[in-house]
Amino acid sequence: MGSTKLFVTLCVLPLLASSFCSAQLSANFYASSCPNLQTIVRNAMTTAVNGQPRLGASILRLFFHDCFVNGCDGSILLDDTATFTGEKNANPNRNSARGFEVIDTIKTRVEAACNATVSCADILALSARDGVVLLGGPSWTVPLGRRDARTASQSLSASDMTALSGGHTIGFARCTTFRNRIYNDTNINAAFATTRRAGCPASGGDARLAPLDNTQTRFDNNYYTNLVAQRGLLHSDQELFNGGSQDALVRSYSTNGATFARDFAAAMVRMGNISPLTGRNGEIRRNCRAVN
């Protein structure tokens, strides 16, 4: 589908306008205070993804999980302490959330260039975008100006969620997350189930990995092609194409990668503007793993 740059207008959906438009985010927020920010992030992400393509998917997943818990505020990055339990070890993230060291590296470089200026939340938002682009996906303009939470929401439309689920076109899943599907679901291609059972036994082997689609290091629309063929790896993914309201959209994305790229980019901007901390709220962390 290429990586054509897409410029997405904020507040596209009227029902989301009241919560999104009140946030004082701007693509040019750091133009004066940290003019090399985007170059620093892109260079670090290029090194990381070239070394391990899976990291593009990992950081995109971090951004998803950050935004869906109290908004995009960098709280997913906080380490647990004796008095604070964060999101890293919550059930959806334990033993699967990764890429934190990449964000640490970027934060260190950003701090060296513009001390106490750029939030970890914004670094994560930019890194997620760049990871997608580096794997062949679409680009979008990232609104900036978020601040970081000191502690560890809004909802998106069903069509947004279907588009964002396409993020599973890159990366891997652990056996424990898809075992029930390949052994018990009926809406699954028999040959596909057999192939996946070979690498994921009925018991044990929880940490074994399988690709989320057959082009796991390239951002494309094969995820949706697989769903139409009943080859979705996760039960939750296949539910998007299972006789329900999203079937037509999934089928459309499966045959039109450009439409998926456009809708994914737009949904990423809308998700990135869920309840951001701005102004005097929150803080600018110097270390993404700990509050100041």
Side-chain angles (χ1 to χ4, degrees):
M1 75 182 60
S3 55
T4 303
K5 195 163 209 174
L6 300 174
F7 294 91
V8 184
T9 303
L10 291 181
C11 308
V12 175
L13 298 182
L15 71 150
L16 299 176
S18 61
S19 59
F20 291 175
C21 293
S22 61
Q24 298 171 354
L25 301 184
S26 166
N28 299 316
F29 189 85
Y30 299 109
S32 298
S33 60
C34 196
N36 294 323
L37 169 63
Q38 302 218 25
T39 299
I40 294 170
V41 174
R42 175 59 66 91
N43 288 345
M45 283 299 297
T46 299
T47 299
V49 172
N50 285 347
Q52 188 178 162
R54 184 185 172 199
L55 282 170
S58 299
I59 289 173
L60 177 61
R61 183 177 185 273
L62 284 183
F63 185 59
F64 282 172
H65 283 249
D66 188 41
C67 292
F68 285 131
V69 182
N70 296 323
C72 309
D73 57 9
S75 53
I76 186 70
L77 304 173
L78 289 169
D79 285 340
D80 291 351
T81 70
T83 58
F84 168 79
T85 301
E87 298 166 23
K88 284 184 177 179
N89 290 310
N91 285 335
N93 302 324
R94 188 181 300 120
N95 299 321
S96 62
R98 56 196 301 276
F100 298 107
E101 294 79 7
V102 177
I103 301 303
D104 291 341
T105 295
I106 296 172
K107 180 61 172 175
T108 298
R109 295 177 184 177
V110 170
E111 285 292 304
C114 23
N115 182 52
T117 301
V118 181
S119 68
C120 299
D122 278 344
I123 288 173
L124 182 55
L126 288 169
S127 300
R129 188 270 312 274
D130 288 352
V132 168
V133 172
L134 289 164
L135 293 175
S139 185
W140 58 92
T141 300
V142 178
L144 301 168
R146 299 169 188 82
R147 288 169 67 83
D148 296 322
R150 294 189 176 99
T151 62
S153 107
Q154 307 283 337
S155 62
L156 296 168
S157 70
S159 58
D160 279 335
M161 295 303 297
T162 298
L164 290 171
S165 293
H168 281 174
T169 186
I170 51 178
F172 296 79
R174 298 169 70 240
C175 172
T176 187
T177 65
F178 61 84
R179 177 181 288 116
N180 189 64
R181 169 154 171 73
I182 62 175
Y183 284 97
N184 297 315
D185 281 5
T186 57
N187 61 339
I188 187 170
N189 177 277
F192 174 73
T194 298
T195 297
R196 289 291 162 255
R197 288 172 185 168
C200 180
S203 62
D206 286 0
R208 293 186 183 180
L209 299 176
L212 284 162
D213 84 359
N214 54 329
T215 55
Q216 67 271 14
T217 60
R218 186 173 73 244
F219 196 99
D220 55 25
N221 64 331
N222 277 352
Y223 166 81
Y224 299 100
T225 304
N226 290 341
L227 295 186
V228 172
Q230 294 191 319
R231 291 173 174 264
L233 182 63
L234 303 181
H235 175 87
S236 58
D237 285 338
Q238 193 60 57
E239 285 298 297
L240 294 176
F241 190 82
N242 192 32
S245 63
Q246 299 304 297
D247 281 15
L249 186 57
V250 169
R251 196 178 292 279
S252 172
Y253 287 162
S254 75
T255 59
N256 193 327
T259 297
F260 162 57
R262 180 198 67 205
D263 290 355
F264 179 85
M268 284 292 290
V269 172
R270 287 193 285 272
M271 183 179 70
N273 285 285
I274 294 175
S275 304
L277 297 174
T278 58
R280 295 182 180 277
N281 295 317
E283 64 181 10
I284 303 297
R285 278 185 231 140
R286 288 178 169 82
N287 177 345
C288 292
R289 294 173 176 260
V291 299
N292 292 340

